[in-house]
Amino acid sequence: MDLYKTIFPILYSIIIVVIGIFFSYIIGNVAGIIWGLIFFLVTFFFSLLILHPKTYPWRYIVPAFLLMFIFMIYPIIYTIQIAFTNYGTGHILTKSQVIEQLEKETYLPQNTQNYEYAIYENGNKIKILLKDSSGNIYKIDNKKLILIVKENFPSEFEGYKIVPREKKFSKISLLQNLKFELEDNSFLQLSDLNHFSLYKQRYVYIPEEDVIIDRLTNERLIPKGGFFTRPNGEKLIPGFVEFVGMENFLRLIKDDRVSKPFLRVFLWTIFWAAGTTLLNFTVGLFLALLMNDKNLKFKGIYRTLLIVPWAIPAFISLLIWVGLLNTEVGVVNRILFSLFGIKIPWFLETTWARVALFVVNLWLGYPYAMTVCLGALQSIPEELYESAKVDGASYFQQLRSITLPLLLTAIGPLLVGTFAFNFNNFNVIYLLTAGKPPMSDISTVAGTTDILISYTYKLAFEGGRGQDYGLAATISIIVFIIIATISIFNFWISGMFKREVRYE
Amino acid sequence: MKRILIISLIILLVFTLSLGAVPGKITIWTSEAQVKGLREAVKPFVQKYGIQVEVNEVSFGDIKPKFITSAPTGEGPDIIVGAHDWLGELVVNGLLLPIDFLPKNVLDQFTPVTLKAMSYNGKLYGIPYSMEAVALIYNKDLIPNPPTTYESLVRVAKSLTKGGIYGFLYDYNNFYFSFPFFSALGGYVFKETPNGLDPLDIGLANEGAIKGVEKLVNLFKEGILKQGVDYQTTTSLFSEGKLGMMINGPWEIDNIKKAKINYGVAKLPKIDGKPMRPFVGVQGFMINSRSPNLAILKTFATEVLASKELELKLFETDPRILARKDAYIVVSSNPDIKAFGASAADGIPMPNIPEMGPVWSYMGDALTLITSGKKAPDVALKEAVAQIKDAIQKARK
Amino acid sequence: MKKNKLILQIPKHIIIWIFLIFTFFPVAWTISASIRAGGGLVGQKLIPENITLEHYSNLKDIGFFNWIKNSLIVSVTTAILTVFFVSLAAYAFSKFDFWGKKYSLLTLLILQMFPAIMGMVAVYLLLYHLGKYIPFLGLNTLSGLIMVYLGGGIPYNIWLMKGFFDSIPDSLEESALIDGATRFQAYYKIILPLSTPILSVVAITSFIGTYSDFLLASIVLKDPSKYTFAVGLRNFISGMYDVRWGDFAAASILGALPIVIMFLALQNLIVSGLTRGAVKE
């Protein structure tokens, strides 16, 4: 037993270190050596925490944290890195990938020729003979084409046997990689399945000077703004990913398309996130209290039926809701019209569009809130109620003085989490209103139901240069900072950190 | 459990395997509709050369994003079947091979608009196979003869609109569907120049465009178009027999047939004697520039992808307006294909440059403001165009 | 007395029925779309004129049952492993005081607020490289997808579970420790059995969360035979207009069944009397 107690932590920490080394290597590959190293240090630190008797509780935590580090923190780090680059449409390849691709580009020299070819093999080795359009057959020797015969490919050549036509293409993987250098910088390469052709390499990269030479025009192309650029300013596509420093942040701050509607969008976002979270949890708690009644008949069936909205993937229910709430032919308006003679302009007027968002998100969200509240209600010891009953407290007094306070401490952090989730609830906004109706007094892409994240992603992904991941990453970081600040502030105010509730 | 997992992880460290594109074998990504036809159509090539061709089904909306994420890592397919408006983005990302190897006599077989659509900065980057454009789809039981002019459209639609029946509806806040109103009297998205499109010359707020959009607004004044109508409502009303006419595309025909609606397809009506010109979308094959199989692909593209036989094979499972003239003639006995083909013949290729992004969103907003009566056409359009230019210029800096 | 109670319950039933109507209003229209021939998602009549079961019979051809199988593999595994990892960590956070506790908790809270959309590219690259060394955790594998879900669900659930553990009196554990149990045994034999409600809640939330996610899954999975339910379903509407709404609605109705069944099976654990009985002692 004691042996086990000493061996177990050692074994455990060794495993963690091994996993750490492995993932550090991978992360080093993806994000750069520094991040790999940092990740290794973190796992190494974890393994120390496991070994040290005083930090014993970490043995319970490390597996979860390790998973989290790999699949959650690492993507965040990656996003932060992207924010300082121009990654996006036109700039998705690395510089070395672009150079590799450009160096593959060729042009046809004036004396270009297409040659038919025949393959000859001798054991594992192969040779190629070429035939030009006038029937001359050449071998390639010492960077030169040497005429050997005319008209027909010989069946044997320098001890090599010809590969019959029907078997020719089984060598295709080999053939594709053949490249015969000739004099004057040109070379012969497979151009299609039946021909070799004469090419010249167009672009040559000179690492010492970090320039690309265009052999066709004899221009020097220098890397500038994520492109290799000709002296006349013309950019060579594709561009490459490049570090741009704070440029994305500056672009956001300076852009009047962002600053003009910012305050409005921001206020609505807060209102939305707080409002929908409170609404969902109030309704969820209310239903949970109803369902928690032992004497209620059919409560099992009710509970199951009420979680159905949760069981249908949100993207389909949202599409259904869009149809139901249609102003002209939607079912909801037709019912309202036949009952009260009114038609509500659901997605046409700001106020109604917002009401629709709250209602639909309530539909989507209350089953979750109800389930969580049901679970949390179980954690309240029964004897508290019993003693309250003895003291003659009414149901509502019990609710106010026992249920709500205890429940809030349990689900308080979840409220913050749900608030954050709705703060960034791109899906609901995007699928239900897509931010519409548009603001009519300011000219901007922002709609009146756009929240911060949906609006700024519009800028990044529907902006003037395709998909601007660099900008989107920058936005993610800024939104993250905003929401984290709000949440920490919330937490600090409500004193949740100091709380260590125990009932004894 | 966990320990077993971890130990097996370590053991597996030793047996490493690499994924990645396969040299000597062609991989094609296409959406569901073309899988069967393509598998059939490549058989002769496979027999002739003994080179394998694998056709993978990837959903249409996923092909472009997955290609963009996977192609740079070398994980991508050799060929994708895609829409021409992806072209600009893929080309500036350096992911497409220019199609400069097709002989002129092959290229001459294609309808010119399809080649234009598949070109970027004057270079061809895709082999077109089909095209599509919206037309006027009408319910023959409600409207025996489709209107050919704007005025008769108004008259017919107006007399039909009552008692839960609608004369004419479509997804008007979607710029794609409303573009014919812009184009009829001279509106255009980007000015065409010999070097491709000029993204800073936008003709969506010129005199013709404004006049055209006023004709659209007039449909609201006449009580024909209703507030809040979108694509969903249009199609479901039509398939329930409650809508006389709509602007829609060939993709919807299958649903209409299933709903047993007696339908017809006609060209969009003329405004002041000028045709309403819809956007033309072109589908075709694009080749991964980072493929290890470029030489094979050139032969494959010439012998298979650009062939009449392939288009006809694909038509069998997925009827579309074919891009090759000689193939189109064969299939144009189908009245729907013929009608949509006639509409496409009037059309303009949808711009394929990345600058189209802001056009969709700003014009969508402008149309919403115009059709809900919050702004006059000339004001909203001029503002939108100014914003589009602003967005494009900011991105260029 | 008893009669009185029954009468008191009538308003409760009425309120619940109002919510049931609210809940099933859109569901009814989804069912309607699933038996309607023709285009469009939301029709004009709840009971369509042309009724067809074709959409349901189409499901076999589009690989629906394979999606469900994949989804169940992913969701069940994720749910079980999440409960395992999270309950361990939450136990430590709830019952120990140790170095780094406060800041770890704060980190957990803040981490979950990061907008996830950008992380997708990173996840893709990570799995791509991972797959080079451990093929079964690479791109296009269900196990790789499970790992990603596991990592993402941890912070929120630790908080959720910790809140519940906090309310279990320390005295119960202490008495076990005095009897000579190790801390791990105390966790395993005392805390876990008392916590079935919250374990079930976490299991259900992660099950449903993974079952209906398509964002991550569609990035990781390439091969249609590996598609999960949500990815497969999403494919129907990923084309711009060319959408088979009927099949889509039929699939979403049938696809919701596993979740309903799962909930039916676990709901009694959520409101089990176990806790109360034990705490009373």
Side-chain angles (χ1 to χ4, degrees), chain C residues 233-256:
Chain C
L233 198 58
R234 178 72 186 180
N235 279 349
F236 272 79
I237 54 167
S238 65
M240 198 153 39
Y241 305 110
D242 186 8
V243 178
R244 292 175 292 171
W245 291 110
D247 296 359
F248 179 55
S252 49
I253 292 295
L254 279 194

mmCIF file of all heavy atoms in Angstrom, chain C residues 233-256:
data_model
loop_
_atom_site.group_PDB
_atom_site.id
_atom_site.type_symbol
_atom_site.label_atom_id
_atom_site.label_comp_id
_atom_site.label_asym_id
_atom_site.label_seq_id
_atom_site.Cartn_x
_atom_site.Cartn_y
_atom_site.Cartn_z
ATOM 1 N N LEU C 233 -26.986 16.829 -41.107
ATOM 2 C CA LEU C 233 -28.192 17.645 -41.237
ATOM 3 C C LEU C 233 -27.860 19.024 -41.781
ATOM 4 O O LEU C 233 -28.537 19.569 -42.640
ATOM 5 C CB LEU C 233 -28.830 17.765 -39.858
ATOM 6 C CG LEU C 233 -30.275 18.187 -39.799
ATOM 7 C CD1 LEU C 233 -31.116 17.221 -40.596
ATOM 8 C CD2 LEU C 233 -30.743 18.218 -38.365
ATOM 9 N N ARG C 234 -26.779 19.567 -41.289
ATOM 10 C CA ARG C 234 -26.351 20.891 -41.702
ATOM 11 C C ARG C 234 -26.075 20.926 -43.208
ATOM 12 O O ARG C 234 -26.293 21.929 -43.866
ATOM 13 C CB ARG C 234 -25.089 21.267 -40.918
ATOM 14 C CG ARG C 234 -24.486 22.589 -41.270
ATOM 15 C CD ARG C 234 -25.348 23.705 -40.764
ATOM 16 N NE ARG C 234 -24.847 24.980 -41.230
ATOM 17 C CZ ARG C 234 -25.410 26.128 -40.934
ATOM 18 N NH1 ARG C 234 -26.456 26.164 -40.166
ATOM 19 N NH2 ARG C 234 -24.913 27.251 -41.389
ATOM 20 N N ASN C 235 -25.601 19.801 -43.728
ATOM 21 C CA ASN C 235 -25.291 19.745 -45.148
ATOM 22 C C ASN C 235 -26.509 20.016 -46.008
ATOM 23 O O ASN C 235 -26.387 20.491 -47.116
ATOM 24 C CB ASN C 235 -24.754 18.373 -45.507
ATOM 25 C CG ASN C 235 -23.316 18.279 -45.149
ATOM 26 O OD1 ASN C 235 -22.709 19.288 -44.832
ATOM 27 N ND2 ASN C 235 -22.770 17.097 -45.190
ATOM 28 N N PHE C 236 -27.666 19.668 -45.486
ATOM 29 C CA PHE C 236 -28.874 19.902 -46.252
ATOM 30 C C PHE C 236 -29.081 21.377 -46.541
ATOM 31 O O PHE C 236 -29.619 21.740 -47.567
ATOM 32 C CB PHE C 236 -30.079 19.402 -45.474
ATOM 33 C CG PHE C 236 -30.370 17.983 -45.741
ATOM 34 C CD1 PHE C 236 -29.641 16.997 -45.123
ATOM 35 C CD2 PHE C 236 -31.354 17.619 -46.626
ATOM 36 C CE1 PHE C 236 -29.896 15.677 -45.374
ATOM 37 C CE2 PHE C 236 -31.613 16.301 -46.883
ATOM 38 C CZ PHE C 236 -30.894 15.332 -46.264
ATOM 39 N N ILE C 237 -28.705 22.198 -45.598
ATOM 40 C CA ILE C 237 -29.014 23.612 -45.787
ATOM 41 C C ILE C 237 -27.770 24.420 -46.115
ATOM 42 O O ILE C 237 -27.795 25.629 -46.125
ATOM 43 C CB ILE C 237 -29.719 24.218 -44.555
ATOM 44 C CG1 ILE C 237 -28.892 23.955 -43.319
ATOM 45 C CG2 ILE C 237 -31.088 23.657 -44.410
ATOM 46 C CD1 ILE C 237 -29.349 24.770 -42.142
ATOM 47 N N SER C 238 -26.662 23.741 -46.388
ATOM 48 C CA SER C 238 -25.449 24.519 -46.644
ATOM 49 C C SER C 238 -25.427 25.057 -48.066
ATOM 50 O O SER C 238 -24.789 26.048 -48.333
ATOM 51 C CB SER C 238 -24.217 23.687 -46.365
ATOM 52 O OG SER C 238 -24.158 22.625 -47.275
ATOM 53 N N GLY C 239 -26.136 24.379 -48.972
ATOM 54 C CA GLY C 239 -26.265 24.966 -50.301
ATOM 55 C C GLY C 239 -27.150 26.188 -50.157
ATOM 56 O O GLY C 239 -27.863 26.329 -49.175
ATOM 57 N N MET C 240 -27.105 27.120 -51.108
ATOM 58 C CA MET C 240 -27.814 28.361 -50.851
ATOM 59 C C MET C 240 -29.327 28.164 -50.908
ATOM 60 O O MET C 240 -30.041 28.487 -49.973
ATOM 61 C CB MET C 240 -27.381 29.456 -51.804
ATOM 62 C CG MET C 240 -27.780 30.789 -51.246
ATOM 63 S SD MET C 240 -26.826 32.240 -51.687
ATOM 64 C CE MET C 240 -26.382 32.136 -53.343
ATOM 65 N N TYR C 241 -29.843 27.624 -52.007
ATOM 66 C CA TYR C 241 -31.287 27.495 -52.122
ATOM 67 C C TYR C 241 -31.725 26.058 -52.363
ATOM 68 O O TYR C 241 -32.866 25.706 -52.171
ATOM 69 C CB TYR C 241 -31.802 28.366 -53.268
ATOM 70 C CG TYR C 241 -31.389 29.794 -53.122
ATOM 71 C CD1 TYR C 241 -30.462 30.364 -53.963
ATOM 72 C CD2 TYR C 241 -31.921 30.552 -52.084
ATOM 73 C CE1 TYR C 241 -30.073 31.676 -53.794
ATOM 74 C CE2 TYR C 241 -31.528 31.852 -51.909
ATOM 75 C CZ TYR C 241 -30.609 32.414 -52.775
ATOM 76 O OH TYR C 241 -30.220 33.697 -52.602
ATOM 77 N N ASP C 242 -30.774 25.273 -52.792
ATOM 78 C CA ASP C 242 -31.083 23.939 -53.260
ATOM 79 C C ASP C 242 -31.255 23.018 -52.051
ATOM 80 O O ASP C 242 -30.423 22.194 -51.752
ATOM 81 C CB ASP C 242 -29.898 23.480 -54.129
ATOM 82 C CG ASP C 242 -30.171 22.167 -54.787
ATOM 83 O OD1 ASP C 242 -31.310 21.701 -54.694
ATOM 84 O OD2 ASP C 242 -29.236 21.623 -55.383
ATOM 85 N N VAL C 243 -32.370 23.175 -51.340
ATOM 86 C CA VAL C 243 -32.499 22.512 -50.056
ATOM 87 C C VAL C 243 -33.700 21.587 -50.030
ATOM 88 O O VAL C 243 -34.781 21.964 -50.457
ATOM 89 C CB VAL C 243 -32.644 23.557 -48.937
ATOM 90 C CG1 VAL C 243 -32.839 22.875 -47.610
ATOM 91 C CG2 VAL C 243 -31.430 24.448 -48.898
ATOM 92 N N ARG C 244 -33.498 20.382 -49.510
ATOM 93 C CA ARG C 244 -34.622 19.453 -49.378
ATOM 94 C C ARG C 244 -35.189 19.575 -47.966
ATOM 95 O O ARG C 244 -34.829 18.843 -47.060
ATOM 96 C CB ARG C 244 -34.143 18.038 -49.664
ATOM 97 C CG ARG C 244 -33.751 17.871 -51.124
ATOM 98 C CD ARG C 244 -33.159 16.529 -51.380
ATOM 99 N NE ARG C 244 -31.857 16.406 -50.727
ATOM 100 C CZ ARG C 244 -31.189 15.261 -50.637
ATOM 101 N NH1 ARG C 244 -31.712 14.158 -51.090
ATOM 102 N NH2 ARG C 244 -30.018 15.229 -50.052
ATOM 103 N N TRP C 245 -36.072 20.551 -47.806
ATOM 104 C CA TRP C 245 -36.558 20.876 -46.460
ATOM 105 C C TRP C 245 -37.305 19.727 -45.810
ATOM 106 O O TRP C 245 -37.229 19.538 -44.603
ATOM 107 C CB TRP C 245 -37.458 22.114 -46.513
ATOM 108 C CG TRP C 245 -36.689 23.337 -46.834
ATOM 109 C CD1 TRP C 245 -36.740 24.054 -47.996
ATOM 110 C CD2 TRP C 245 -35.735 23.988 -46.006
ATOM 111 N NE1 TRP C 245 -35.869 25.100 -47.936
ATOM 112 C CE2 TRP C 245 -35.236 25.091 -46.728
ATOM 113 C CE3 TRP C 245 -35.239 23.744 -44.731
ATOM 114 C CZ2 TRP C 245 -34.287 25.953 -46.217
ATOM 115 C CZ3 TRP C 245 -34.284 24.600 -44.217
ATOM 116 C CH2 TRP C 245 -33.815 25.691 -44.961
ATOM 117 N N GLY C 246 -38.053 18.968 -46.622
ATOM 118 C CA GLY C 246 -38.825 17.874 -46.068
ATOM 119 C C GLY C 246 -37.940 16.839 -45.389
ATOM 120 O O GLY C 246 -38.162 16.456 -44.243
ATOM 121 N N ASP C 247 -36.908 16.399 -46.113
ATOM 122 C CA ASP C 247 -35.975 15.428 -45.542
ATOM 123 C C ASP C 247 -35.320 16.006 -44.297
ATOM 124 O O ASP C 247 -35.110 15.320 -43.298
ATOM 125 C CB ASP C 247 -34.869 15.085 -46.559
ATOM 126 C CG ASP C 247 -35.422 14.398 -47.796
ATOM 127 O OD1 ASP C 247 -36.640 14.183 -47.836
ATOM 128 O OD2 ASP C 247 -34.639 14.084 -48.701
ATOM 129 N N PHE C 248 -34.997 17.270 -44.405
ATOM 130 C CA PHE C 248 -34.349 17.981 -43.298
ATOM 131 C C PHE C 248 -35.225 17.937 -42.042
ATOM 132 O O PHE C 248 -34.773 17.591 -40.947
ATOM 133 C CB PHE C 248 -34.131 19.416 -43.772
ATOM 134 C CG PHE C 248 -33.492 20.331 -42.792
ATOM 135 C CD1 PHE C 248 -32.275 20.012 -42.217
ATOM 136 C CD2 PHE C 248 -34.084 21.543 -42.478
ATOM 137 C CE1 PHE C 248 -31.669 20.880 -41.331
ATOM 138 C CE2 PHE C 248 -33.482 22.410 -41.596
ATOM 139 C CZ PHE C 248 -32.273 22.077 -41.019
ATOM 140 N N ALA C 249 -36.509 18.251 -42.218
ATOM 141 C CA ALA C 249 -37.417 18.255 -41.067
ATOM 142 C C ALA C 249 -37.601 16.841 -40.518
ATOM 143 O O ALA C 249 -37.578 16.629 -39.297
ATOM 144 C CB ALA C 249 -38.769 18.839 -41.474
ATOM 145 N N ALA C 250 -37.750 15.863 -41.420
ATOM 146 C CA ALA C 250 -37.925 14.484 -40.972
ATOM 147 C C ALA C 250 -36.712 14.036 -40.163
ATOM 148 O O ALA C 250 -36.834 13.425 -39.097
ATOM 149 C CB ALA C 250 -38.122 13.564 -42.179
ATOM 150 N N ALA C 251 -35.526 14.378 -40.673
ATOM 151 C CA ALA C 251 -34.306 13.991 -39.971
ATOM 152 C C ALA C 251 -34.232 14.653 -38.608
ATOM 153 O O ALA C 251 -33.825 14.024 -37.628
ATOM 154 C CB ALA C 251 -33.081 14.365 -40.809
ATOM 155 N N SER C 252 -34.653 15.914 -38.507
ATOM 156 C CA SER C 252 -34.505 16.565 -37.217
ATOM 157 C C SER C 252 -35.510 16.032 -36.204
ATOM 158 O O SER C 252 -35.225 15.984 -35.012
ATOM 159 C CB SER C 252 -34.605 18.079 -37.349
ATOM 160 O OG SER C 252 -35.721 18.420 -38.095
ATOM 161 N N ILE C 253 -36.671 15.603 -36.679
ATOM 162 C CA ILE C 253 -37.633 14.998 -35.749
ATOM 163 C C ILE C 253 -37.090 13.662 -35.229
ATOM 164 O O ILE C 253 -37.014 13.429 -34.022
ATOM 165 C CB ILE C 253 -38.988 14.766 -36.458
ATOM 166 C CG1 ILE C 253 -39.651 16.104 -36.791
ATOM 167 C CG2 ILE C 253 -39.906 13.933 -35.587
ATOM 168 C CD1 ILE C 253 -40.045 16.912 -35.593
ATOM 169 N N LEU C 254 -36.685 12.795 -36.159
ATOM 170 C CA LEU C 254 -36.168 11.497 -35.724
ATOM 171 C C LEU C 254 -34.877 11.658 -34.925
ATOM 172 O O LEU C 254 -34.626 10.925 -33.976
ATOM 173 C CB LEU C 254 -35.902 10.597 -36.929
ATOM 174 C CG LEU C 254 -37.102 9.863 -37.523
ATOM 175 C CD1 LEU C 254 -36.616 8.771 -38.460
ATOM 176 C CD2 LEU C 254 -37.965 9.252 -36.421
ATOM 177 N N GLY C 255 -34.072 12.636 -35.317
ATOM 178 C CA GLY C 255 -32.796 12.840 -34.646
ATOM 179 C C GLY C 255 -32.954 13.328 -33.222
ATOM 180 O O GLY C 255 -32.049 13.164 -32.394
ATOM 181 N N ALA C 256 -34.080 13.936 -32.920
ATOM 182 C CA ALA C 256 -34.296 14.422 -31.555
ATOM 183 C C ALA C 256 -34.635 13.278 -30.606
ATOM 184 O O ALA C 256 -34.487 13.416 -29.389
ATOM 185 C CB ALA C 256 -35.406 15.464 -31.542
#
